[in-house]
Amino acid sequence: ELKVEQNPLFLSMQEGKNYTIYCNYSTTSDRLYWYRQDPGKSLESLFVLLSNGAVKQEGRLMASLDTKARLSTLHITAAVHDLSATYFCAVDSGAGSYQLTFGKGTKLSVIP
Amino acid sequence: EAQVTQNPRYLITVTGKKLTVTCSQNMNHEYMSWYRQDPGLGLRQIYYSMNVEVTDKGDVPEGYKVSRKEKRNFPLILESPSPNQTSLYFCASSSFTLGPQETQYFGPGTRLLVL
């Protein structure tokens, strides 16, 4: 059974600071996804990571994937209040299956 | 406009009364999926479909049924709802044909309360 663990689950940080959210998963997988959810809203896709060493960046967010360590990171650079949201990683079960398992999410609050 | 729509958006029902939540996408996506979101548990996949007439179980399929008779529609059926199915439900879709750009598009959500 695939398990996906995110940490921290809650993160309060000041504007301008850097921080990293971690996503560990328990079995070999082909794909890892990051999503953002604003309070009371639906989910928005941020990144799709498909191979070992993949790195993608969008604005102040950068995601990377280490398939050997079964670890993905979402790095936040110089946080701004608009980044306050809950961030989820999700991993597919591999072998061509598209069954997705999500982490519990990291609720990020950026304080002015 | 590319979108995933769900209906209804809010629903209050009673135990045992069959209901269907509809999901439709206008992007000609092959893949569609249903999730439920519960506080402290994150999102859990209920069922997914790789294409018409192809469906498979996710992590929490018990008490749910799905069908995929048309590419654009993927309804979620609760034949005998119970209070533990009170949750926020999301439908999502994505394309396989875009290669690495397999972004999932999520619907707005359906908030279900089973009394």
Side-chain angles (χ1 to χ4, degrees), chain A residues 7-21 76 79-81 83-85 87 106-112:
Chain A
N7 65 81
L9 297 182
F10 299 93
L11 176 56
S12 181
M13 56 190 297
Q14 285 187 313
E15 280 192 331
K17 299 290 189 184
N18 303 334
Y19 209 83
T20 301
I21 298 170
I76 303 155
V80 293
H81 180 68
L83 290 179
S84 297
Y87 294 85
T106 297
K107 185 172 182 179
L108 171 65
S109 298
V110 181
I111 304 164

Side-chain angles (χ1 to χ4, degrees), chain A residues 1-2 31 33 35 37 40-50 56 86 88 90 92-93 96-105, chain B residues 9 31 33 35 37 40-45 48 50 57-59 88 90-91 94 96 99-109 111:
Chain A
E1 179 190 349
L2 174 59
R31 296 170 189 81
Y33 304 82
Y35 296 93
Q37 185 179 35
K41 303 288 188 183
S42 186
L43 281 84
E44 172 191 355
S45 178
L46 293 174
F47 301 110
V48 180
L49 302 170
L50 298 176
K56 290 197 174 177
T86 299
F88 292 94
D92 81 24
S93 54
S97 167
Y98 281 78
Q99 181 178 345
L100 282 187
T101 301
F102 279 73
K104 287 184 166 53
Chain B
R9 295 286 313 279
Y31 179 87
S33 182
Y35 304 90
Q37 184 174 27
L41 296 178
L43 278 91
R44 293 177 292 168
Q45 191 174 42
Y48 64 99
M50 308 278 274
K57 297 177 182 178
D59 287 327
L88 177 58
F90 288 104
C91 179
S94 67
F96 292 154
Q101 305 302 319
E102 291 171 1
T103 299
Q104 274 200 88
Y105 295 84
F106 281 78
R111 193 168 290 278

Side-chain angles (χ1 to χ4, degrees), chain A residues 25-80:
Chain A
Y25 53 98
S26 60
T27 63
T28 304
S29 173
D30 297 335
R31 296 170 189 81
L32 190 137
Y33 304 82
W34 283 97
Y35 296 93
R36 168 183 173 144
Q37 185 179 35
D38 292 309
K41 303 288 188 183
S42 186
L43 281 84
E44 172 191 355
S45 178
L46 293 174
F47 301 110
V48 180
L49 302 170
L50 298 176
S51 60
N52 188 41
V55 177
K56 290 197 174 177
Q57 183 161 7
E58 180 77 31
R60 300 175 188 274
L61 300 177
M62 183 174 71
S64 65
L65 178 61
D66 181 343
T67 58
K68 292 179 183 175
R70 297 175 186 164
L71 170 70
S72 179
T73 60
L74 181 65
H75 187 73
I76 303 155
T77 301
V80 293

